[in-house]
Amino acid sequence: MSKQGDTSASGYRVRPLKLPGGEVANLDDDFQNIVTSISAYATDLKTQAKPVDSPDDSFASISNLTSNGYVVERDHAEWTMLRRDKGNRSIEVQVSKGEERVNHIRLIEKGVIVSELEPTLTSDGSLQLVVRRLIDSKSGYAEIAVPYDLSIPIPEPGPELLQEEPPCEDPDPLMCDDGSGSGGGGGGGGPSGDGSGSKVAFIHGLNGGTASWSFGMGWLEHNTNIDGSIVSYASSGSISGIATGVASSVANSDVVVAHSMGGLVSREIIRQNLDGDLGALITVGTPHLGAPAADNAHLIPGLVVDFAGQIITPLAAIIFYLSGIDQTEIANIGFTVDLITSRLGIGVGLAISGDPPANDMVTSSPFLSTLNADVSLTIPDDPSKTFFVYGDEDHNTHWRIAQSAAFPGQVENGNWAGYMNDVADIYELAFIAGVVGFLDLAIGCMEGEYGMAVCENAIEFFSVVASFYIAEQQIRTGQQQVFSQLLHDAAPGEEDGVVPIWSQAPQSFSMVVPIQNYIKALGANHLEQRVHPEVLGRIAIILRNHDPANVVL
């Protein structure tokens, strides 16, 4: 993962992000402005904060709250609930009558509790401040517990980001992503030849076309001495109908290499006995048991909006509270986040959108029930000539799919995933800067040590600072977990960004297909598999009649 540009004052590097139009945006200064402004705001409030002259002047005083516009909502024997409206926002304060200290504070927007601050005791009896922040209506609230005792070190930001990676030294220039946009990936090493001139038909997936396999077929022809042809079809009608329509283009082939839905088309051709005398079948990223993403396709637009909102929420809150933040800079960051998240929706949509072919890939579809009723009738007569190449993207699959959607035909280089992790690092730094400045103020306000003017600002802004922590956690782990579970019915790291491994390489098929023919392509997401070196290298080994289980690239 490349790191470019000067190290900022925070010690972090934010890479220049290459956008689809070719422009480069280095947002290091924008992020640094956020962190600096938060620290400055904290310092300013601490300067203003002075101990109250009398208990009646404190923020925790019921008489002080009522004299400053708060209305008693509920009066209990042990506490009083007060509330003040500020436009679409409200502050709700519950004050203990006995010692006049705040039991909890709620920030409400349009009738929804967005944040809550509550002092509590830990299991060992020490005091802590709990902050609950609304993520969204689906995810609910996240909770942070911060110790009262500031002598307990606040966690430092994560490990130093990776530095410059070694330059690409592969003799094939297409293997090196120089950002020029020319060409895609490449395949594994090894001598050319040994393909014996086999006729190999390449079949693309849903919404693909003749260009889908053009690079991969050309590379394999050059390196394995095969005679390749591309079988294309319109992504309309049923998979069974598509199979019938393209069968004549496959019938004279020795081998079929099929990506994604193309693998289902290939197996359906064999099931219909229209394959001629097909010798071998290689499927790549094929949802043999269906694609949960097709089951939940209707949720993708909302998921993309949620992801963007979770990341941009702290920035919007910053604009609301700090006049020192340049709104143009926030807009730049927001544009980049929106760009990446929108490409995520496009990427998943490219792979599973379309009706009715996508309906046939729903995990419970009648088509799949028929196709998988007897696996032996949907593969070549010799089961040992069937191979399942499955993509296993290691981490950050949602951001990697987004980049592949923005730059089709190229091997994804981790730039967008790295950028989003940079955002998480800066958000963590912003949270720490805010906590260090605001914690003693917030506690002092809840215990009645400070007055109204400072406390309202401090408590509202502490909730905003907490939103940076929530967003950081969502970027690092939360969104990936939601993405993997909802769209793949799998744990993070057990899918290729669109199709889970359990569907690409079904264990139930191992009763027929030898388990050694299940071949992992590590780091290959679904959209880049046709050009990815891990995939092409393993296909080349198979075509050379070598043992794919012992591939070393």
Side-chain angles (χ1 to χ4, degrees), residues 362-386:
V362 170
T363 53
S364 59
S365 73
F367 166 76
L368 287 176
S369 297
T370 300
L371 185 69
N372 294 327
D374 188 343
V375 174
S376 65
L377 300 179
T378 66
I379 60 175
D381 293 336
D382 182 356
S384 69
K385 300 302 182 182
T386 299

Side-chain angles (χ1 to χ4, degrees), residues 4 7 104 111 158 208 211 222 236 255 303 317 334 407 409 422 496 524 535:
Q4 304 176 29
T7 304
H104 72 247
H222 176 73
S236 59
V255 182
L303 188 71
F407 302 97
D422 284 349
D496 68 357
V535 173

Side-chain angles (χ1 to χ4, degrees), residues 313-336:
T313 291
L315 304 179
I318 283 286
I319 293 176
F320 186 84
Y321 282 99
L322 293 184
S323 59
I325 290 288
D326 187 337
Q327 295 193 26
T328 302
E329 295 174 349
I330 298 296
N332 290 340
I333 300 170
F335 168 79
T336 306

Side-chain angles (χ1 to χ4, degrees), residues 51-65 99-100 447-451:
V52 297
D53 295 330
S54 112
D56 291 338
D57 297 329
S58 74
F59 180 75
S61 163
I62 295 175
S63 61
N64 189 31
L65 287 166
E99 49 186 336
E100 285 212 325
E447 294 184 340
E449 296 178 8
Y450 300 128

Side-chain angles (χ1 to χ4, degrees), residues 78-284:
E78 297 181 357
W79 48 260
T80 300
M81 182 77 73
L82 303 102
R83 174 177 175 142
R84 182 160 78 91
D85 296 327
K86 301 170 66 178
N88 289 331
R89 295 169 60 86
S90 302
I91 301 179
E92 187 177 87
V93 183
Q94 186 187 101
V95 178
S96 170
K97 287 184 175 179
E99 49 186 336
E100 285 212 325
R101 67 186 307 275
V102 174
N103 294 334
H104 72 247
I105 299 172
R106 289 174 177 164
L107 303 181
I108 302 169
E109 291 184 359
K110 298 180 181 178
V112 177
I113 299 172
V114 294
S115 295
E116 182 177 48
L117 290 80
E118 179 183 8
T120 63
L121 294 176
T122 64
S123 57
D124 63 1
S126 57
L127 288 169
Q128 63 180 2
L129 183 65
V130 175
V131 181
R132 300 179 185 90
R133 179 80 185 186
L134 180 68
I135 299 174
D136 54 50
S137 58
K138 297 176 183 176
S139 306
Y141 293 84
E143 183 175 290
I144 313 165
V146 186
Y148 266 46
D149 183 0
L150 282 176
S151 65
I152 299 176
I154 302 293
E156 291 298 320
E160 180 66 18
L161 299 175
L162 295 173
Q163 301 302 307
E164 291 285 346
E165 63 183 350
C168 179
E169 298 177 353
D170 195 282
D172 183 350
L174 290 172
M175 288 281 287
C176 300
D177 183 2
D178 60 1
S180 63
S182 59
S192 301
D194 295 335
S196 304
S198 298
K199 294 181 179 179
V200 180
F202 291 83
I203 305 180
H204 61 75
L206 183 67
N207 295 323
T210 54
S212 299
W213 271 113
S214 59
F215 173 81
M217 185 184 75
W219 189 92
L220 288 166
E221 282 184 321
H222 176 73
N223 286 278
T224 63
N225 189 32
I226 61 167
D227 180 11
S229 63
I230 292 178
V231 177
S232 188
Y233 57 87
S235 295
S236 59
S238 66
I239 293 178
S240 181
I242 292 172
T244 303
V246 302
S248 60
S249 301
V250 175
N252 295 322
S253 302
D254 301 308
V255 182
V256 165
V257 177
H259 178 245
S260 193
M261 192 183 83
L264 300 178
V265 172
S266 304
R267 290 179 56 210
E268 176 65 9
I269 290 173
I270 299 172
R271 192 188 72 83
Q272 295 181 19
N273 289 316
L274 299 176
D275 60 302
D277 189 21
L278 185 64
L281 172 64
I282 305 170
T283 67
V284 181

Side-chain angles (χ1 to χ4, degrees), residues 241-493:
I242 292 172
T244 303
V246 302
S248 60
S249 301
V250 175
N252 295 322
S253 302
D254 301 308
V255 182
V256 165
V257 177
H259 178 245
S260 193
M261 192 183 83
L264 300 178
V265 172
S266 304
R267 290 179 56 210
E268 176 65 9
I269 290 173
I270 299 172
R271 192 188 72 83
Q272 295 181 19
N273 289 316
L274 299 176
D275 60 302
D277 189 21
L278 185 64
L281 172 64
I282 305 170
T283 67
V284 181
T286 292
H288 294 286
L289 300 182
D295 299 16
N296 298 310
H298 61 289
L299 300 176
I300 294 172
L303 188 71
V304 170
V305 171
D306 285 347
F307 281 10
Q310 290 166 7
I311 300 169
I312 295 175
T313 291
L315 304 179
I318 283 286
I319 293 176
F320 186 84
Y321 282 99
L322 293 184
S323 59
I325 290 288
D326 187 337
Q327 295 193 26
T328 302
E329 295 174 349
I330 298 296
N332 290 340
I333 300 170
F335 168 79
T336 306
V337 170
D338 184 63
L339 171 74
I340 293 177
T341 52
S342 66
R343 292 310 186 279
L344 170 63
I346 292 171
V348 178
L350 281 173
I352 55 86
S353 65
D355 183 29
N359 291 340
D360 285 342
M361 290 189 284
V362 170
T363 53
S364 59
S365 73
F367 166 76
L368 287 176
S369 297
T370 300
L371 185 69
N372 294 327
D374 188 343
V375 174
S376 65
L377 300 179
T378 66
I379 60 175
D381 293 336
D382 182 356
S384 69
K385 300 302 182 182
T386 299
F387 302 88
F388 301 141
V389 179
Y390 60 95
D392 182 13
E393 185 62 279
D394 46 2
H395 63 286
N396 292 136
T397 54
H398 50 323
W399 306 132
R400 294 175 185 277
I401 283 289
Q403 183 174 345
S404 290
F407 302 97
Q410 295 187 36
V411 174
E412 177 270 325
N413 62 6
N415 200 22
W416 283 25
Y419 175 82
M420 295 308 298
N421 280 296
D422 284 349
V423 172
D425 285 330
I426 298 298
Y427 277 18
E428 183 181 13
L429 195 63
F431 170 68
I432 292 171
V435 165
V436 170
F438 287 105
L439 185 56
D440 56 346
L441 282 176
I443 293 169
C445 290
M446 302 187 91
E447 294 184 340
E449 296 178 8
Y450 300 128
M452 179 70 61
V454 170
C455 289
E456 277 201 344
N457 289 336
I459 290 171
E460 285 195 355
F461 196 73
F462 190 80
S463 175
V464 175
V465 169
S467 71
F468 278 96
Y469 176 82
I470 302 302
E472 179 246 333
Q473 293 297 303
Q474 288 296 307
I475 295 170
R476 292 200 195 282
T477 57
Q479 292 181 348
Q480 176 69 77
Q481 290 171 352
V482 170
F483 183 76
S484 296
Q485 188 61 45
L486 184 65
L487 296 186
H488 314 124
D489 193 21

